[in-house]
Amino acid sequence: MPWQVRERRFKLVGLGRRGLEPDHVYAFLDRVAVDMAAVYAALAASRRETAVLRAGLRRLRVGRGPEA
């Protein structure tokens, strides 16, 4: 889930050791979370559209046709 990506934290490296810049890591995770949120929104919209289309097909199969 996007919130899980945003909430992820990494251990800081000790003094004198190499490591990643925490601000860069968190900025990257925020970008990933934004992208994930967009994907989840698109998936939800697709599922809603699919449900509408399936309902329309069911109406056509029973011979009632689309309701106006």
Side-chain angles (χ1 to χ4, degrees):
M1 302 299 270
W3 66 269
Q4 291 171 314
V5 173
R6 265 195 201 97
E7 297 294 319
R8 178 72 171 103
R9 296 297 178 242
F10 299 91
K11 287 178 69 174
L12 298 176
V13 295
L15 292 175
R17 295 188 59 194
R18 291 181 154 189
L20 299 175
E21 177 64 40
D23 291 339
H24 292 188
V25 172
Y26 298 138
F28 172 77
L29 291 176
D30 283 341
R31 285 194 308 271
V32 170
V34 167
D35 290 347
M36 286 180 68
V39 168
Y40 279 103
L43 178 61
S46 177
R47 286 180 174 161
R48 287 190 299 271
E49 184 178 352
T50 299
V52 168
L53 293 172
R54 285 184 177 173
L57 285 173
R58 278 193 294 274
R59 283 194 303 272
L60 288 172
R61 285 184 184 145
V62 297
R64 291 192 285 159
E67 296 174 3

